[in-house]
Amino acid sequence: MKSRLPYLLPLGLFLVLALYFAVGLTKDPKIIPSALIDKPAPEFTVPPVAGGTSPGFSTADLKKGQVSVVNVFASWCVPCRAEHPEINKLAKMGIVPVYGLNYKDTPQAARAWLNQLGDNYTATGADESGRVGIDWGVYGVPETFIVDGSGRIRFKHVGPIVGDKLEKEILPLIRSIQGTGK
């Protein structure tokens, strides 16, 4: 038995690594867990984008008893541009307030971007320093959060909402959370 150990050890190590990678390959790399899921949204207040027409918003706006969506975007973000028609579509549906958190942008660039692509957000806050984004655990833009009526973050989507993600993922989740009464 002792003489077989040097031969079995590499095989055992190979099997452990193969199992580890096999499980890892079944995971969606776009799903990044958030420590804030099912926890209260961080306290914040963001002013409106300077010179814009929308008001800013705060945590208090997310605790008004209805499900809300917070979309983190920036004018320098190419995927945000691709996603914006879907965010406008969601906002126009009027089923939830959709808040825009403009992340690390200049007011001029943010205003120009919103004027060009449309601003259907309920409110658009300017997070010029990125401090609020850090508190929300933003890795990059775009990111979208669904917050229940008590101000608890229920879902985080990393990356652009494009294709059928709005209809197949986001809307059913919003309706599900609305159905729970939270």
Side-chain angles (χ1 to χ4, degrees), residues 62-90:
L62 306 176
K63 296 179 179 178
K64 292 184 174 177
Q66 61 182 340
V67 176
S68 303
V69 171
V70 177
N71 176 246
V72 184
F73 73 97
S75 67
W76 44 264
C77 162
V78 174
C80 297
R81 182 173 287 272
E83 171 189 66
H84 199 66
E86 294 297 305
I87 297 300
N88 274 336
K89 182 178 171 183
L90 174 62

Tab-separated table of all heavy atoms in Angstrom, residues 62-90:
chain	number	residue	atom	x	y	z
A	62	LEU	N	-37.166	55.614	-1.061
A	62	LEU	CA	-37.239	54.171	-1.290
A	62	LEU	C	-38.034	53.452	-0.206
A	62	LEU	O	-38.185	52.241	-0.258
A	62	LEU	CB	-35.823	53.580	-1.362
A	62	LEU	CG	-34.874	54.240	-2.370
A	62	LEU	CD1	-33.487	53.620	-2.272
A	62	LEU	CD2	-35.425	54.143	-3.781
A	63	LYS	N	-38.524	54.209	0.764
A	63	LYS	CA	-39.273	53.612	1.874
A	63	LYS	C	-40.720	54.081	1.892
A	63	LYS	O	-41.335	54.193	2.946
A	63	LYS	CB	-38.612	53.985	3.208
A	63	LYS	CG	-37.221	53.445	3.384
A	63	LYS	CD	-36.639	53.887	4.717
A	63	LYS	CE	-35.255	53.346	4.927
A	63	LYS	NZ	-34.668	53.818	6.206
A	64	LYS	N	-41.257	54.369	0.736
A	64	LYS	CA	-42.611	54.906	0.664
A	64	LYS	C	-43.669	53.822	0.451
A	64	LYS	O	-44.775	54.102	0.040
A	64	LYS	CB	-42.701	55.951	-0.442
A	64	LYS	CG	-41.892	57.208	-0.124
A	64	LYS	CD	-42.068	58.261	-1.192
A	64	LYS	CE	-41.376	59.555	-0.788
A	64	LYS	NZ	-41.454	60.575	-1.833
A	65	GLY	N	-43.307	52.583	0.688
A	65	GLY	CA	-44.278	51.500	0.626
A	65	GLY	C	-44.469	50.856	-0.735
A	65	GLY	O	-45.308	49.981	-0.883
A	66	GLN	N	-43.700	51.278	-1.708
A	66	GLN	CA	-43.818	50.648	-3.024
A	66	GLN	C	-42.451	50.194	-3.522
A	66	GLN	O	-41.432	50.758	-3.154
A	66	GLN	CB	-44.468	51.599	-4.021
A	66	GLN	CG	-43.707	52.882	-4.251
A	66	GLN	CD	-44.430	53.802	-5.225
A	66	GLN	OE1	-45.276	53.381	-5.991
A	66	GLN	NE2	-44.084	55.071	-5.180
A	67	VAL	N	-42.474	49.170	-4.345
A	67	VAL	CA	-41.239	48.653	-4.923
A	67	VAL	C	-40.629	49.734	-5.806
A	67	VAL	O	-41.347	50.444	-6.520
A	67	VAL	CB	-41.521	47.372	-5.742
A	67	VAL	CG1	-40.253	46.885	-6.429
A	67	VAL	CG2	-42.103	46.285	-4.851
A	68	SER	N	-39.318	49.876	-5.738
A	68	SER	CA	-38.595	50.872	-6.528
A	68	SER	C	-37.430	50.209	-7.251
A	68	SER	O	-36.946	49.162	-6.834
A	68	SER	CB	-38.008	51.970	-5.634
A	68	SER	OG	-38.994	52.602	-4.872
A	69	VAL	N	-36.996	50.851	-8.318
A	69	VAL	CA	-35.819	50.415	-9.057
A	69	VAL	C	-34.798	51.548	-9.004
A	69	VAL	O	-35.147	52.709	-9.221
A	69	VAL	CB	-36.174	50.072	-10.519
A	69	VAL	CG1	-34.911	49.825	-11.340
A	69	VAL	CG2	-37.085	48.852	-10.564
A	70	VAL	N	-33.562	51.202	-8.692
A	70	VAL	CA	-32.462	52.166	-8.710
A	70	VAL	C	-31.478	51.703	-9.774
A	70	VAL	O	-30.915	50.613	-9.666
A	70	VAL	CB	-31.764	52.273	-7.336
A	70	VAL	CG1	-30.584	53.235	-7.412
A	70	VAL	CG2	-32.751	52.702	-6.257
A	71	ASN	N	-31.304	52.525	-10.794
A	71	ASN	CA	-30.404	52.209	-11.902
A	71	ASN	C	-29.164	53.090	-11.792
A	71	ASN	O	-29.279	54.312	-11.787
A	71	ASN	CB	-31.140	52.426	-13.233
A	71	ASN	CG	-30.241	52.223	-14.436
A	71	ASN	OD1	-29.960	53.164	-15.165
A	71	ASN	ND2	-29.791	51.014	-14.658
A	72	VAL	N	-27.995	52.461	-11.695
A	72	VAL	CA	-26.741	53.198	-11.605
A	72	VAL	C	-26.160	53.288	-13.015
A	72	VAL	O	-25.962	52.264	-13.666
A	72	VAL	CB	-25.753	52.483	-10.654
A	72	VAL	CG1	-24.493	53.308	-10.487
A	72	VAL	CG2	-26.412	52.207	-9.307
A	73	PHE	N	-25.912	54.511	-13.471
A	73	PHE	CA	-25.457	54.715	-14.845
A	73	PHE	C	-24.443	55.860	-14.896
A	73	PHE	O	-24.284	56.605	-13.940
A	73	PHE	CB	-26.646	55.040	-15.765
A	73	PHE	CG	-27.190	56.426	-15.555
A	73	PHE	CD1	-26.799	57.466	-16.384
A	73	PHE	CD2	-28.069	56.704	-14.525
A	73	PHE	CE1	-27.284	58.757	-16.199
A	73	PHE	CE2	-28.551	57.987	-14.315
A	73	PHE	CZ	-28.160	59.017	-15.157
A	74	ALA	N	-23.782	55.965	-16.049
A	74	ALA	CA	-22.849	57.068	-16.291
A	74	ALA	C	-22.806	57.343	-17.787
A	74	ALA	O	-23.006	56.432	-18.600
A	74	ALA	CB	-21.460	56.723	-15.770
A	75	SER	N	-22.494	58.578	-18.138
A	75	SER	CA	-22.437	58.937	-19.555
A	75	SER	C	-21.239	58.283	-20.254
A	75	SER	O	-21.273	58.049	-21.448
A	75	SER	CB	-22.362	60.456	-19.713
A	75	SER	OG	-21.136	60.943	-19.205
A	76	TRP	N	-20.190	57.985	-19.508
A	76	TRP	CA	-18.985	57.391	-20.084
A	76	TRP	C	-19.087	55.873	-20.223
A	76	TRP	O	-18.171	55.219	-20.695
A	76	TRP	CB	-17.765	57.755	-19.233
A	76	TRP	CG	-17.970	57.631	-17.758
A	76	TRP	CD1	-18.308	58.626	-16.893
A	76	TRP	CD2	-17.878	56.436	-16.969
A	76	TRP	NE1	-18.419	58.131	-15.616
A	76	TRP	CE2	-18.167	56.787	-15.632
A	76	TRP	CE3	-17.592	55.104	-17.243
A	76	TRP	CZ2	-18.172	55.862	-14.597
A	76	TRP	CZ3	-17.595	54.183	-16.214
A	76	TRP	CH2	-17.882	54.567	-14.904
A	77	CYS	N	-20.217	55.321	-19.854
A	77	CYS	CA	-20.423	53.871	-19.831
A	77	CYS	C	-21.143	53.429	-21.110
A	77	CYS	O	-22.311	53.752	-21.311
A	77	CYS	CB	-21.227	53.522	-18.583
A	77	CYS	SG	-22.019	51.922	-18.589
A	78	VAL	N	-20.448	52.692	-21.961
A	78	VAL	CA	-21.044	52.234	-23.223
A	78	VAL	C	-22.215	51.266	-22.980
A	78	VAL	O	-23.272	51.414	-23.601
A	78	VAL	CB	-19.964	51.617	-24.140
A	78	VAL	CG1	-20.588	51.013	-25.383
A	78	VAL	CG2	-18.925	52.665	-24.511
A	79	PRO	N	-22.093	50.281	-22.081
A	79	PRO	CA	-23.239	49.402	-21.829
A	79	PRO	C	-24.470	50.155	-21.292
A	79	PRO	O	-25.607	49.737	-21.522
A	79	PRO	CB	-22.717	48.400	-20.797
A	79	PRO	CG	-21.245	48.387	-20.989
A	79	PRO	CD	-20.889	49.793	-21.381
A	80	CYS	N	-24.241	51.273	-20.589
A	80	CYS	CA	-25.373	52.069	-20.088
A	80	CYS	C	-26.174	52.628	-21.258
A	80	CYS	O	-27.400	52.711	-21.200
A	80	CYS	CB	-24.887	53.216	-19.206
A	80	CYS	SG	-24.041	52.696	-17.711
A	81	ARG	N	-25.484	53.010	-22.303
A	81	ARG	CA	-26.150	53.546	-23.500
A	81	ARG	C	-27.032	52.465	-24.128
A	81	ARG	O	-28.149	52.731	-24.536
A	81	ARG	CB	-25.108	54.054	-24.487
A	81	ARG	CG	-25.677	54.676	-25.748
A	81	ARG	CD	-24.568	55.308	-26.577
A	81	ARG	NE	-24.073	56.536	-25.999
A	81	ARG	CZ	-24.582	57.746	-26.238
A	81	ARG	NH1	-25.577	57.874	-27.068
A	81	ARG	NH2	-24.076	58.809	-25.667
A	82	ALA	N	-26.513	51.239	-24.191
A	82	ALA	CA	-27.283	50.130	-24.756
A	82	ALA	C	-28.490	49.799	-23.892
A	82	ALA	O	-29.551	49.417	-24.390
A	82	ALA	CB	-26.379	48.908	-24.910
A	83	GLU	N	-28.349	49.944	-22.583
A	83	GLU	CA	-29.405	49.593	-21.644
A	83	GLU	C	-30.488	50.661	-21.533
A	83	GLU	O	-31.645	50.353	-21.208
A	83	GLU	CB	-28.766	49.376	-20.264
A	83	GLU	CG	-29.747	49.209	-19.145
A	83	GLU	CD	-29.078	49.219	-17.793
A	83	GLU	OE1	-28.530	50.280	-17.408
A	83	GLU	OE2	-29.114	48.185	-17.129
A	84	HIS	N	-30.135	51.902	-21.785
A	84	HIS	CA	-31.034	53.009	-21.470
A	84	HIS	C	-32.428	52.911	-22.106
A	84	HIS	O	-33.415	53.251	-21.441
A	84	HIS	CB	-30.374	54.345	-21.800
A	84	HIS	CG	-31.018	55.499	-21.122
A	84	HIS	ND1	-30.996	55.671	-19.748
A	84	HIS	CD2	-31.752	56.520	-21.612
A	84	HIS	CE1	-31.669	56.760	-19.434
A	84	HIS	NE2	-32.141	57.301	-20.548
A	85	PRO	N	-32.574	52.448	-23.352
A	85	PRO	CA	-33.939	52.296	-23.879
A	85	PRO	C	-34.808	51.358	-23.027
A	85	PRO	O	-36.012	51.600	-22.868
A	85	PRO	CB	-33.718	51.724	-25.284
A	85	PRO	CG	-32.355	52.186	-25.666
A	85	PRO	CD	-31.564	52.178	-24.394
A	86	GLU	N	-34.215	50.322	-22.470
A	86	GLU	CA	-34.986	49.399	-21.622
A	86	GLU	C	-35.357	50.069	-20.296
A	86	GLU	O	-36.450	49.857	-19.771
A	86	GLU	CB	-34.173	48.119	-21.361
A	86	GLU	CG	-33.948	47.295	-22.612
A	86	GLU	CD	-35.244	46.770	-23.216
A	86	GLU	OE1	-36.009	46.115	-22.514
A	86	GLU	OE2	-35.473	47.040	-24.410
A	87	ILE	N	-34.453	50.879	-19.770
A	87	ILE	CA	-34.757	51.600	-18.525
A	87	ILE	C	-35.855	52.627	-18.793
A	87	ILE	O	-36.785	52.773	-17.990
A	87	ILE	CB	-33.480	52.274	-17.958
A	87	ILE	CG1	-32.436	51.214	-17.592
A	87	ILE	CG2	-33.813	53.154	-16.764
A	87	ILE	CD1	-32.870	50.209	-16.540
A	88	ASN	N	-35.765	53.323	-19.921
A	88	ASN	CA	-36.838	54.260	-20.288
A	88	ASN	C	-38.173	53.529	-20.439
A	88	ASN	O	-39.217	54.013	-20.001
A	88	ASN	CB	-36.500	54.986	-21.592
A	88	ASN	CG	-35.654	56.217	-21.368
A	88	ASN	OD1	-35.656	56.809	-20.291
A	88	ASN	ND2	-34.906	56.611	-22.388
A	89	LYS	N	-38.131	52.357	-21.055
A	89	LYS	CA	-39.345	51.552	-21.243
A	89	LYS	C	-39.949	51.172	-19.889
A	89	LYS	O	-41.161	51.306	-19.685
A	89	LYS	CB	-38.985	50.288	-22.041
A	89	LYS	CG	-40.120	49.379	-22.351
A	89	LYS	CD	-39.583	48.207	-23.197
A	89	LYS	CE	-40.590	47.121	-23.377
A	89	LYS	NZ	-40.024	45.981	-24.125
A	90	LEU	N	-39.114	50.729	-18.961
A	90	LEU	CA	-39.583	50.372	-17.619
A	90	LEU	C	-40.195	51.588	-16.925
A	90	LEU	O	-41.260	51.491	-16.326
A	90	LEU	CB	-38.425	49.810	-16.790
A	90	LEU	CG	-38.719	49.517	-15.315
A	90	LEU	CD1	-39.799	48.446	-15.176
A	90	LEU	CD2	-37.442	49.079	-14.607
